Amino acid sequence: MMSKPMNVLTTKPSPLSTMVVLLIICILGFYALHFPHSPTPSSASQNLSHLETAFLSTSSNSTISAYLRALTLHPHLAGTKPASDVTSYVLNHFVSMGLEAHTASYTTLLSFPVHSSLSARFGDGSSASLPLSEASVVVMAYHAYSPSGSVQARAVFANYGRERDYLALAAMGVSVRGCVVVVRKGGGMGRGAAVEAAEKHGAAAVLVYGESDTWREGFERGHVMRGIGDPLTPGWGGVEGGETLGLEDTEVLKRFPKIPSMPLSAEVADTILSSLGGVSVPPEWRSTLRSKARHVGPGPTVLNFTYQGEKKVATIQNVFAVIKGSEEPDRHVLLGNHRDAWTYGAVDPSSGTAALLDIARRFSVLLGLGWKPRRTIILCSWDAEEFGMIGSTEWVEQNLINLGSKAVAYLNVDCAVQGPGFFVGSTPQLDNLILEIMKKVKDPDSEGVSLYENWAAGGGSNNVMLMLLLVKCLLQLTTVMMLQSAKIAKLTVLFSAQDLRSVVTDQIWILSWRLIQRLSGVDSDFAPFVQHAGVPSIDMYYGKDFPVYHTAFDSYNWMVEYGDPFFHHHVAVTGVWGLLAIHLADSSVLPFNYVSYANELQLYRNMLSNLVDQQISLHPLTTSIQEFSSAAKETDDELKKLRLQETEGCSVDMKKRALNDRLVLAEKGFLDADGLQQRQWFKHLVFGPSSDHERLNFFPGIADSMTTSNGLSERERVARIQHEIWRVARAIRRAASALRGGFT
């Protein structure tokens, strides 16, 4: 019998061949994302290339070192005379570079220490006075905005101070009510959140320490105020002679904790924790614990703790240097870094300040060579960031309308260098620009390769992680195909071909999401720009953490001995920072890509689907993201066509200008006038701080509703979560409408 000829168009492929094809698609998709094809350079791109070369050729690690040395001669806490001296230094530097410079002053509420003490009475009857600052006190260690108070109570260890940690203690029969709670830094909890959680559970006071294998005698200063910006002028700039709330106003008081807190060094924390009795430390805590804690208490150690502080109204000053745009002077690219420090601040923030001063110098050189940026560039030196992003927030609030229509992007560098490894975060439309710029800067740790290549091979785009994700992806796909081809009784197949494509897409974009961070935190000056004003933003730095953070040991000597001895990492960050500004200021069509944003939103929707039950409908979110994706693709096609138009003329210029305005405006579509529930100042519904520090770092309103709906009736719970989903869906549609530019 003659065999039937095979039709390759209708024959069902084997699972193995399908898997191989999908593997190729995954790999090609990744390389298309991270190594896009470069088109033939136009004259405009060639001009940019020459500008890049000129900027990079003026780098000088010795100059940055000299700036850092001058900035860190003295501690310069905001609101003090040394801080004023550093303000004058930065202003005079801008002027000496031939740049137009000015200051903007605000009257704000700051917090300073007066007295503190801590002693312990141990279970064996002995007692000891424990230090609350480094031996060479430069600025007394304290938590800004902590209330004054004296407490004598048993000590209890609460791990990171998360809700789950208090639940674990309760499950073991341990109550923290009336105790002095000792918590370690980390676990996704900021110091303010840790104090707030301890207060909620009835603690009398909180002591927070940082775990480290080195510099264990350092005390990490910081603030514990809720929210950001001046508490006396919530929502408006604190200009002299303007409206201010009273210190006893309810809106002001709710910004501050009700129980006192202080930082501890790792050494002092060990003394306390090693003396505790009671229940043993849970195994899940012990696996990451570096301290000598073996038991959680309470007691038998009793702590006698006193803190006295004062809140003062003080004048702070932001410093600006302006380079006027030649063609679009009313469109602004902003570069920002804060200037104030808890002590000497060599890493935080002066490494970033030194980089900003060097950018001013290098831009001055370019101006001398005839460079005239298309758009206006503003270099911003913020004050009082350490007290809750006060300087930048007051300026954003005062200039909110102009920022809404005129700010192209905000580029933030706080700590330029704090250790090895390059890290960058952004709003997603700037992802592709970041990757392209990183390819143009030399890597400081490897000879002959770009920063991007090293980042892609290790610290950032981790190829090992890529392979693990691809393997995971293929395992999922293989399982699905086996299920689909298996003939097992009563087997329900839960995956379709669309699900297979979704798995591939999700794995690739989960990888991208992990590489470039998002700006949902409130840990630097990008927060008011993104989360209140809706300005596309970037934040970058070298090193994830460093052992002398906010301590008296954050000095120039530490930087030259441990942090960045030859200042090569400073040069790399400055290179990326400056080139980003040049591209955003000089590209005739802004280098934004909202297709990246659409993919990110789709990923978030898919992740959210795993966290909500079937009573919650994600259909509004799904359709709005589809609409946004369509608008993003249309805009990207339009953008590519306009970039190819070499001819200049009124018609082409107007088209570019109109497109650029839509690209900038789209980010503001994600803002909601009502803001987040109970935190109305935060307006961004995609990126912002969630009240639940352990749930999601996107869709903060939805995350909050999932947390706060506990205890409600089922109908109320579903309605609350569903309402927040609708709010996000409407915001995404607003952004899509802004991209398209037309009316409905």
Side-chain angles (χ1 to χ4, degrees):
M1 181 177 175
M2 210 173 192
S3 63
K4 187 176 181 179
M6 182 175 68
N7 187 334
V8 296
L9 298 177
T10 59
T11 302
K12 183 177 180 180
S14 69
L16 179 61
S17 63
T18 303
M19 185 177 70
V20 171
V21 170
L22 287 169
L23 173 60
I24 294 171
I25 292 172
C26 285
I27 294 173
L28 289 176
F30 174 79
Y31 280 97
L33 174 65
H34 291 281
F35 300 92
H37 171 68
S38 298
T40 304
S42 64
S43 60
S45 64
Q46 288 174 337
N47 290 337
L48 263 180
S49 179
H50 293 319
L51 196 57
E52 292 167 357
T53 302
F55 175 80
L56 293 174
S57 68
T58 60
S59 65
S60 170
N61 53 340
S62 61
T63 302
I64 297 177
S65 173
Y67 293 150
L68 186 64
R69 181 64 179 143
L71 289 163
T72 56
L73 291 176
H74 307 284
H76 43 287
L77 187 63
T80 65
K81 174 62 167 63
S84 179
D85 293 339
V86 175
T87 300
S88 298
Y89 176 78
V90 171
L91 179 63
N92 291 336
H93 175 78
F94 287 158
V95 172
S96 70
M97 293 295 109
L99 304 179
E100 175 192 329
H102 67 277
T103 63
S105 299
Y106 300 95
T107 304
T108 64
L109 185 69
L110 304 183
S111 168
F112 301 96
V114 175
H115 168 75
S116 62
S117 64
L118 177 66
S119 61
R121 188 176 74 247
F122 302 108
D124 60 4
S126 64
S127 61
S129 178
L130 303 175
L132 281 176
S133 276
E134 297 87 354
S136 55
V137 179
V138 289
V139 174
M140 187 187 300
Y142 76 113
H143 285 164
Y145 303 109
S146 167
S148 299
S150 294
V151 175
Q152 183 170 321
R154 292 181 299 168
V156 62
F157 179 51
N159 198 27
Y160 295 115
R162 302 168 298 190
E163 185 63 26
R164 72 172 100 157
D165 296 325
Y166 288 107
L167 290 174
L169 288 175
M172 297 185 293
V174 176
S175 171
V176 304
R177 185 165 296 278
C179 295
V180 176
V181 171
V182 180
V183 298
R184 54 174 170 158
K185 172 191 172 185
M189 295 285 284
R191 77 182 66 81
V195 173
E196 187 175 353
E199 179 185 314
K200 171 187 170 184
H201 287 275
V206 187
L207 299 173
V208 183
Y209 75 95
E211 290 193 305
S212 177
D213 295 328
T214 58
W215 307 94
R216 291 173 53 79
E217 62 273 33
F219 291 76
E220 181 188 306
R221 296 144 179 85
H223 81 86
V224 290
M225 180 177 67
R226 299 181 181 109
I228 65 176
D230 176 33
L232 301 184
T233 58
W236 64 91
V239 297
E240 186 175 354
E243 179 189 8
T244 61
L245 302 181
L247 285 173
E248 299 304 315
D249 190 286
T250 304
E251 288 298 311
V252 176
L253 292 177
K254 72 181 184 181
R255 298 281 296 274
F256 308 134
K258 293 181 174 62
I259 60 173
S261 65
M262 282 284 289
L264 287 185
S265 69
E267 279 189 347
V268 173
D270 267 354
T271 300
I272 296 170
L273 296 177
S274 63
S275 70
L276 296 181
V279 183
S280 296
V281 171
E284 58 269 25
W285 296 4
R286 200 178 304 134
S287 61
T288 59
L289 196 60
R290 298 181 187 176
S291 74
K292 296 178 181 178
R294 294 295 175 265
H295 303 275
V296 300
T301 298
V302 174
L303 298 178
N304 192 336
F305 165 56
T306 296
Y307 171 72
Q308 182 183 351
E310 61 177 347
K311 298 180 180 71
K312 288 183 179 179
V313 174
T315 298
I316 63 170
Q317 286 189 307
N318 297 328
V319 183
F320 303 94
V322 180
I323 302 173
K324 202 78 169 176
S326 59
E327 297 180 47
E328 298 182 63
D330 59 338
R331 296 295 181 264
H332 301 77
V333 177
L334 302 107
L335 291 75
N337 157 267
H338 78 90
R339 189 178 64 253
D340 62 304
W342 289 111
T343 62
Y344 298 103
V347 174
D348 184 8
S350 299
S351 61
T353 309
L356 186 69
L357 298 181
D358 198 53
I359 282 182
R361 178 189 66 83
R362 293 162 76 172
F363 281 177
S364 178
V365 171
L366 295 184
L367 290 169
L369 296 174
W371 174 52
K372 294 180 180 179
R374 180 187 186 92
R375 302 179 186 90
T376 296
I377 295 174
I378 304 180
L379 308 182
C380 313
S381 176
W382 309 117
D383 202 354
E385 185 270 357
E386 297 294 7
F387 289 85
M389 278 67 76
I390 291 181
S392 58
T393 299
E394 297 310 295
W395 189 81
V396 166
E397 290 174 343
Q398 186 185 15
N399 294 277
L400 191 60
I401 297 301
N402 280 335
L403 284 170
S405 60
K406 299 179 180 180
V408 170
Y410 174 69
L411 313 177
N412 188 69
V413 171
D414 192 322
C415 308
V417 180
Q418 51 190 17
F422 185 72
F423 294 85
V424 61
S426 74
T427 45
Q429 73 275 65
L430 293 168
D431 287 357
N432 286 13
L433 175 63
I434 292 168
L435 298 177
E436 287 304 312
I437 294 301
M438 288 173 64
K439 295 173 185 177
K440 301 173 186 292
V441 176
K442 292 180 181 178
D443 184 80
D445 298 313
S446 303
E447 190 71 30
V449 300
S450 69
L451 173 62
Y452 174 82
E453 288 174 283
N454 203 17
W455 180 80
S461 172
N462 195 319
N463 283 340
V464 174
M465 184 167 67
L466 166 64
M467 293 312 299
L468 288 174
L469 287 172
L470 287 177
V471 168
K472 178 182 176 183
C473 171
L474 289 172
L475 285 173
Q476 291 174 336
L477 295 175
T478 305
T479 302
V480 170
M481 288 183 288
M482 289 175 66
L483 286 173
Q484 287 181 324
S485 60
K487 295 181 179 179
I488 303 174
K490 298 181 181 179
L491 177 65
T492 301
V493 178
L494 301 176
F495 296 89
S496 65
Q498 185 174 354
D499 293 321
L500 301 185
R501 290 193 297 272
S502 178
V503 170
V504 176
T505 303
D506 284 0
Q507 294 303 327
I508 292 175
W509 283 98
I510 284 173
L511 176 64
S512 176
W513 177 56
R514 288 176 179 173
L515 304 185
I516 296 179
Q517 303 165 26
R518 296 304 168 211
L519 305 180
S520 288
V522 288
D523 46 357
S524 195
D525 290 301
F526 59 78
F529 286 91
V530 176
Q531 298 161 15
H532 190 70
V535 176
S537 297
I538 294 174
D539 182 51
M540 72 194 91
Y541 49 95
Y542 251 98
K544 191 67 175 174
D545 207 350
F546 64 109
V548 297
Y549 176 67
H550 286 187
T551 74
F553 306 117
D554 183 9
S555 66
Y556 179 81
N557 288 340
W558 186 88
M559 181 64 77
V560 297
E561 290 182 35
Y562 304 100
D564 191 16
F566 301 105
F567 287 81
H568 291 157
H569 294 92
H570 283 77
V571 170
V573 171
T574 308
V576 174
W577 202 5
L579 290 187
L580 285 169
I582 288 171
H583 274 254
L584 288 165
D586 269 348
S587 298
S588 61
V589 177
L590 290 173
F592 287 12
N593 184 346
Y594 276 95
V595 175
S596 296
Y597 220 131
N599 288 324
E600 192 86 356
L601 292 172
Q602 183 61 49
L603 171 63
Y604 295 164
R605 182 260 170 226
N606 292 347
M607 295 174 71
L608 184 63
S609 68
N610 295 319
L611 299 174
V612 297
D613 54 61
Q614 293 183 349
Q615 295 185 72
I616 307 297
S617 172
L618 294 182
H619 180 70
L621 208 54
T622 302
T623 56
S624 65
I625 292 172
Q626 289 171 349
E627 182 179 335
F628 183 85
S629 297
S630 177
K633 182 63 171 64
E634 292 167 11
T635 304
D636 195 53
D637 291 341
E638 180 184 355
L639 182 149
K640 289 173 181 175
K641 290 177 183 177
L642 274 177
R643 279 184 183 152
L644 293 175
Q645 292 191 25
E646 288 293 322
T647 57
E648 296 295 330
C650 184
S651 175
V652 174
D653 287 346
M654 287 179 65
K655 286 180 180 179
K656 290 181 178 180
R657 170 87 168 187
L659 174 59
N660 288 338
D661 286 349
R662 285 153 45 203
L663 292 171
V664 169
L665 184 63
E667 185 69 41
K668 291 156 188 64
F670 299 116
L671 303 179
D672 187 283
D674 293 333
L676 302 181
Q677 297 297 321
Q678 308 302 319
R679 291 169 298 132
Q680 284 80 6
W681 188 90
F682 295 98
K683 306 295 186 184
H684 207 291
L685 297 190
V686 177
F687 299 120
S690 167
S691 59
D692 186 337
H693 305 280
E694 301 178 55
R695 189 178 287 273
L696 296 176
N697 65 348
F698 55 87
F699 298 160
I702 297 176
D704 287 350
S705 69
M706 293 165 68
T707 301
T708 59
S709 61
N710 294 332
L712 298 178
S713 69
E714 186 65 8
R715 184 184 63 80
E716 291 173 325
R717 181 190 72 85
V718 171
R720 177 172 294 187
I721 298 173
Q722 197 67 62
H723 174 62
E724 290 299 328
I725 289 172
W726 273 111
R727 290 182 72 204
V728 174
R730 287 192 290 270
I732 294 172
R733 279 202 163 89
R734 287 195 297 271
S737 178
L739 274 181
R740 288 196 165 110
F743 293 105
T744 54

